[in-house]
Amino acid sequence: MASRPDTDDYLSLFLNDVPLMDVRAPVEFARGSFPNTENAPLMNDEERHRVGICYKERGQDKAIELGHQLVSGDIKAQRIEAWKRFVARHPEGYLFCFRGGLRSRLTQQWIRDAGIDYPLVKGGYKALRRFLIDGLEARIESSEFRILSGRTGTGKTRVLKQLPNPVDLEGLANHRGSSFGRQVTPQPSQIDFENRLAIAMLKAHHLTGGPVYLEDESRMVGRCALPESLRARMAESPLMTLEQPLEERIGIIREDYVEGMFADYVNRDGAEAGWLNFRDYLLSALDRIRKRLGGERHKQLRSLMEQALREQERSGRTDAHNAWIQALLQDYYDPMYDYQLSQKAGRILVHGGPEAILDWARTGSAT
């Protein structure tokens, strides 16, 4: 493998989705890292903890000596093999540690001793993270935003992805942004979400350009918090309001939250456990908004949902879910949305169905 220089071209790394090898300990990686990054640690959590104590009590030289004692022999050989496998799969990649210092240079040296030159990221995780956060704030301040709004079930995310320069906040957070919004896979950590958002905004600016289209979101998307500066810009940006007939909205909700989620749970957990976990997902989502619904309305909706689940379990049909979906839309989500929209009436650029929204985004006027 030809030798490549170490890099501090952070923008190129993120715009080109360059594979990265994070040699920090697993606990550090879990707190936050970057897309297209794999954890291949120099030290595991226990080893890192012991070296850290030694550093505080006896200084750097003794800590380095202990690190070499802990990561030696078969353990060292196993770690080098893991790094070699990453290099073989990603010859165009780079490695990094926290500051681009001791751990990454030691990893680099051990890989070199095994016959492979592999470059590192100068400044490590700390520099990459600082670059993303500074870049995110700059993009939030300078970008022109257009916000796609609409009642629940209008298929906003589907339309958003067809717009010229979209940033999908719900996709980045792996959550649909409501009580029913969780996915079968976990949400990213807050740091991971911020990093994903920063990279998406960099790509929107450098690779596409023009106004950035975002879906109207509250401060929290599941457990992931939007930056306050972004929320402030979104609150003053023009709106595109998506409209769909009630029947179409019911179908979209059923497809996404019933049929799609059921398939996802079965694919993850198998038929029996998947059904039970899907059933719990729907019922617990409804239970989470019990106070806002009121006791009697919650009871009625839960009864309709339980009937629909029994019918689905018996026959496989999902159309019985339409009853609770329609009631929840008309009695809960629509009044809440209509009130919120009334506070934003002066910001509306265009309203209409998917084609009207897409035509306006392409031409500046609805057909």
Side-chain angles (χ1 to χ4, degrees), residues 77-270:
Q78 290 167 6
R79 307 247 163 110
I80 293 172
E81 284 303 310
W83 300 332
K84 288 168 64 177
R85 287 193 297 271
F86 180 91
V87 170
R89 285 184 287 114
H90 304 294
E92 76 281 23
Y94 293 83
L95 67 88
F96 68 89
C97 65
F98 184 63
R99 292 189 180 88
L102 208 55
R103 284 185 287 178
S104 57
R105 296 200 177 278
L106 185 57
T107 300
Q108 190 179 51
Q109 182 59 54
W110 286 359
I111 296 175
R112 186 177 293 121
D113 292 344
I116 301 170
D117 279 321
Y118 204 63
L120 58 80
V121 178
K122 297 177 183 178
Y125 170 84
K126 190 173 183 180
L128 290 166
R129 168 77 171 162
R130 185 74 267 156
F131 172 79
L132 286 182
I133 295 305
D134 290 346
L136 177 59
E137 288 303 317
R139 296 286 74 79
I140 289 172
E141 183 177 347
S142 64
S143 296
E144 177 186 354
F145 294 108
R146 292 175 182 168
I147 311 302
L148 181 62
S149 185
R151 288 177 168 178
T152 300
T154 50
K156 294 184 289 297
T157 301
R158 301 178 186 190
V159 173
L160 177 75
K161 291 178 179 179
Q162 300 176 64
L163 291 169
N165 193 14
V167 171
D168 181 5
L169 298 173
E170 292 184 355
L172 297 171
N174 196 35
H175 196 282
R176 291 191 178 106
S178 72
S179 175
F180 291 82
R182 80 171 192 234
Q183 306 280 15
V184 298
T185 51
Q187 287 194 260
S189 70
Q190 179 64 27
I191 289 174
D192 279 342
F193 171 68
E194 292 168 359
N195 290 342
R196 292 179 184 186
L197 175 59
I199 294 167
M201 292 291 289
L202 284 175
K203 289 180 176 180
H205 176 74
H206 289 279
L207 301 183
T208 307
V212 176
Y213 291 84
L214 302 171
E215 190 173 333
D216 201 4
E217 300 289 350
S218 61
R219 187 178 68 85
M220 303 294 296
V221 185
R223 71 178 186 187
C224 295
L226 298 183
E228 286 301 322
S229 55
L230 179 60
R231 281 293 304 147
R233 288 297 316 282
M234 291 173 69
E236 65 186 22
S237 297
L239 291 174
M240 310 169 74
T241 57
L242 178 61
E243 298 173 350
Q244 292 272 31
L246 179 61
E247 183 177 340
E248 183 76 17
R249 294 166 59 209
I250 292 170
I252 290 172
I253 293 290
R254 190 181 69 244
E255 182 177 328
D256 288 351
Y257 293 86
V258 177
E259 296 161 358
M261 289 298 291
F262 173 58
D264 288 345
Y265 274 105
V266 170
N267 287 337
R268 189 190 71 177
D269 303 327

Side-chain angles (χ1 to χ4, degrees), residues 25 57 278 329 335:
E57 294 179 349
F278 162 70
L329 290 177

Side-chain angles (χ1 to χ4, degrees), residues 337-354:
Y337 170 79
D338 292 344
Y339 171 76
Q340 292 170 349
L341 185 63
S342 70
Q343 311 300 303
K344 309 170 184 176
R347 295 164 44 207
I348 298 175
L349 290 172
V350 59
H351 59 86

Side-chain angles (χ1 to χ4, degrees), residues 288-301:
R288 277 193 291 275
I289 56 174
R290 178 175 182 169
K291 288 184 179 179
R292 284 178 279 169
L293 288 170
E296 187 59 33
R297 185 163 53 173
H298 169 266
K299 181 179 178 181
Q300 293 168 354
L301 287 170

